[in-house]
Every structure is written in structure tokens, then in C-alpha cells.
Amino acid sequence: MNKNLKRGLAAFIIANSVLTTANIGVLNNNVFAAERYAVESREILKKDYNSIIDECVNIGLQHLINKDSGFWYNKEFNDWEALTVSSFNKEIPASYIENLAKKIETKDSSLFGADGKFKSTTDCERTIIGIVSAGKDPRNFGGYNLIKDLCERNLGIEQDIFCKMFGLIALDCGNFEIPSGSKFTRYDIVDGIVEKKLKSGGWSWGDTIDVDTTAMVISALSPYYNEDYDVKDAIDDALIALSKIQDKTTGEFTSTWTPNGSSESLAQVIIALCSVGIDPTDSEMFTKSDKNLLDLLLEYKTADGGFEHDKKNTDQLNGIATEQAFRALASYKKLKSGKLGSIYLVKDFN
């Protein structure tokens, strides 16, 4: 059967099964459907997380914008920060757009190679996300078409998992059409990502499942979750794998390089769950010792209003940890506002 026909049929069947389940009031046996459409059968006094997040934003988001507190690897406002700040409907510093436009206009060597194109595929992808987050069109920014640059590469055969997933996010963040004559389609990227899933259930830059990479891949694939069986199966397997990795006592995601866990891993899993419609504060799969993922992330709050990488120094924020934590908080706010879909679906240019 034609692949596109199978996808269309899959989308219809998946959507129809959800409607049928809702109409008869019976939970689907699928554990993730149960997570997403669970009836309120438990009497739990829930925290007002929206108010908690609003307080975090009022106190700490300014440090992400002004970089006037804590530890920063780079004081220059960047593309991920543009995404996160715009997600809270806050104004992005004008200097970010001005500086980026100048770099692109002059083909600054920090971004461009001798051939006049982006040296790094992931730099091109990340810059597209930042430009869209700032409300600009990357097809004509600084006199340059970043979508054309990206699509002149062959993301279909690209082997780097980060190039693939960020490429998909870059195209989907503005719902950009892939120019005719390109060597790949959206589903070449999607299928290529699914095929890179490890037998252990997730994704990685190596041979062992990596929590952050797996969570980011789930977010990238999430727009296709309800229209492609292969994607749905891959994401479902990955969520099971992440739940198994999570420490049953502490709830942290530990690894060789983060033996006690990190706020970034928690943040990325929260973003992933929200992208497929799962509430991280009400997920039995990811609640360990009566602590949900958002509770765990909030334990990394610092005295100056940001977030720390680990819990060794909670006096001052870490820039990378703070950006990713706020991105997770924005994802949760979006989910609870009734807006389904990934935080990376910023604008529709079509």
C-alpha cells in the first residue's frame, strides 16, 4: 500500500478511535491514551502550578533577557532564548534581531563559510527557529533565504540525529513548505529519525539511550504522533524507556555524566510530554515517590529566580539550565491553556 495512503488511513483510524473512546466513556487500553484522556478518578488536591509558574516568570525571566545575574557561558542573547522568551509573550531584545541581521547581511564568518552558506546545518536550523520566534521570516532575513539554504542540503540521508530533528523543528516551527526540487521530503526526515531509534526504546548520539536526546526527538516528532503509526509506536516506546530510566526513588534522570540528575533532563522530558498532550503533573508513569516532574524541576530554583544545572549551588542561576527550565514551564502553560502541540510550533507562514 502507498506510504502516504497508509499514513492517511492511520490518521483517520487513530482519530476515530479517540472519538469512540470519548463517546462511550471507556479508557483505551493503550497506556498513553490513558495518560492523555484519563477520567478524573483520583481525588488529588492539585497545586496551582499556573500561579507558581507566573511567580517564577515575574521574578526570573528578566534574568534570561538581561543576563544580569548568575553564570552565563555567553552573554549574547541567543536563538533558544528567543524561543523561550517569546513563548511567554515577552519582548525579545531588539539587539538580538539587529545583531543577527548584521551577521547574516555581512556573511559573518562565525556562521558562514567561504561558499556564502551556513557552515553548520544545525546553526542554520537553530537560527531559523530564533528568527521565527522573533516574528520574522527566515525566507528573507538580512537579505538571505535560510529555508532555501537548509533545503539545499539533503536532510533525508543526513546521519546526524541532531541535524535531522532540528531540521524538522526548523521546518515545522513556521510550517514552511520544502521548495520543489529539494532532495528530500518532510517524511524522509521523519522516517529517518524513526529508523534511528535504538532497540532500548529511545535515541542517542551514541549506542546508549540518552534522556535529553530522546526527549528532544519526541518533541520534534510530536506533530506526526496522531497521523503515522510508526511515529506513534516509536514515541510510545520511547516514553516507556524514559519512565524505566527514571530513578524510582528520587524521580531524577541520572547518567554517567549527571549521576545525581539535572534540571535540563527534567525540563526536556516535560517539554516532550507536553508536546504529545501528557500532563507532567498528573502522569503516573513519571510520578515517583509522590513527586511529579514539575515538582522535581522546581526544586532546582535558585535564590536569584532562575534554575541551576544541579543542586550544588542554588544561590545563583545557570544560564543554560534557566533557559531550558523556562522553556519547560512555557510548554506546561501552553498545554494547560488548551493549546495542543509542541512549543516549537511557533507560527504558520502558510
Side-chain angles (χ1 to χ4, degrees), residues 197-203 209 214 234-242:
K197 184 171 71 71
L198 302 173
K199 291 182 179 180
S200 55
W203 288 267
I209 183 173
T214 297
I235 289 178
D236 287 352
D237 286 347
L239 290 173
I240 291 173
L242 288 176

Side-chain angles (χ1 to χ4, degrees), residues 204-205 207-212 245 247 252-262 265 309-310 312:
S204 180
W205 36 264
D207 297 327
T208 305
I209 183 173
D210 177 70
V211 170
D212 296 40
I245 290 172
D247 189 280
E252 296 282 357
F253 295 98
T254 61
S255 66
T256 303
W257 43 93
T258 55
N260 298 313
S262 72
S265 291
H309 163 69
D310 52 32
K312 294 179 181 178

Side-chain angles (χ1 to χ4, degrees), residues 132-335:
V132 172
S133 299
K136 305 298 182 182
D137 189 342
R139 294 171 298 185
N140 184 15
F141 184 81
Y144 192 71
N145 188 336
L146 281 79
I147 298 297
K148 182 174 182 289
D149 184 323
L150 178 62
C151 291
E152 285 178 345
R153 304 158 195 256
N154 194 342
L155 297 182
I157 63 172
E158 173 63 59
Q159 292 303 302
D160 187 284
I161 187 64
F162 295 100
C163 287
K164 280 186 176 296
M165 69 177 173
F166 290 137
L168 191 59
I169 290 172
L171 291 169
D172 286 345
C173 76
N175 193 25
F176 295 108
E177 291 184 359
I178 297 176
S180 60
S182 298
K183 297 178 180 178
F184 64 93
T185 67
R186 254 182 177 77
Y187 270 103
D188 287 333
I189 308 175
V190 170
D191 292 342
I193 293 173
V194 170
E195 288 167 4
K196 280 191 165 291
K197 184 171 71 71
L198 302 173
K199 291 182 179 180
S200 55
W203 288 267
S204 180
W205 36 264
D207 297 327
T208 305
I209 183 173
D210 177 70
V211 170
D212 296 40
T213 304
T214 297
M216 287 187 285
V217 169
I218 291 171
S219 297
L221 290 176
S222 63
Y224 309 89
Y225 183 72
N226 286 323
E227 63 180 56
D228 188 302
Y229 275 136
D230 292 337
V231 171
K232 188 177 188 304
D233 287 345
I235 289 178
D236 287 352
D237 286 347
L239 290 173
I240 291 173
L242 288 176
S243 181
K244 289 180 178 178
I245 290 172
Q246 190 182 15
D247 189 280
K248 291 179 174 59
T249 302
T250 66
E252 296 282 357
F253 295 98
T254 61
S255 66
T256 303
W257 43 93
T258 55
N260 298 313
S262 72
S263 63
E264 291 94 332
S265 291
L266 290 167
Q268 290 298 336
V269 175
I270 289 171
I271 295 167
L273 293 183
C274 292
S275 72
V276 292
I278 298 175
D279 186 338
T281 69
D282 195 29
S283 169
E284 291 183 359
M285 283 184 65
F286 292 95
T287 298
K288 307 294 166 71
S289 298
D290 294 326
K291 285 186 178 181
N292 64 57
L293 292 176
L294 196 51
D295 285 333
L296 290 166
L297 178 61
L298 291 170
E299 290 180 358
Y300 286 83
K301 283 177 60 181
T302 55
D304 56 358
F307 290 82
E308 182 51 282
H309 163 69
D310 52 32
K311 295 177 182 176
K312 294 179 181 178
N313 180 12
T314 55
D315 290 330
Q316 64 174 358
L317 64 83
N318 172 284
I320 293 175
T322 296
E323 183 279 311
Q324 292 190 33
F326 274 114
R327 201 190 314 172
L329 299 183
S331 296
Y332 178 77
K333 289 277 284 186
K334 179 180 180 180
L335 175 70

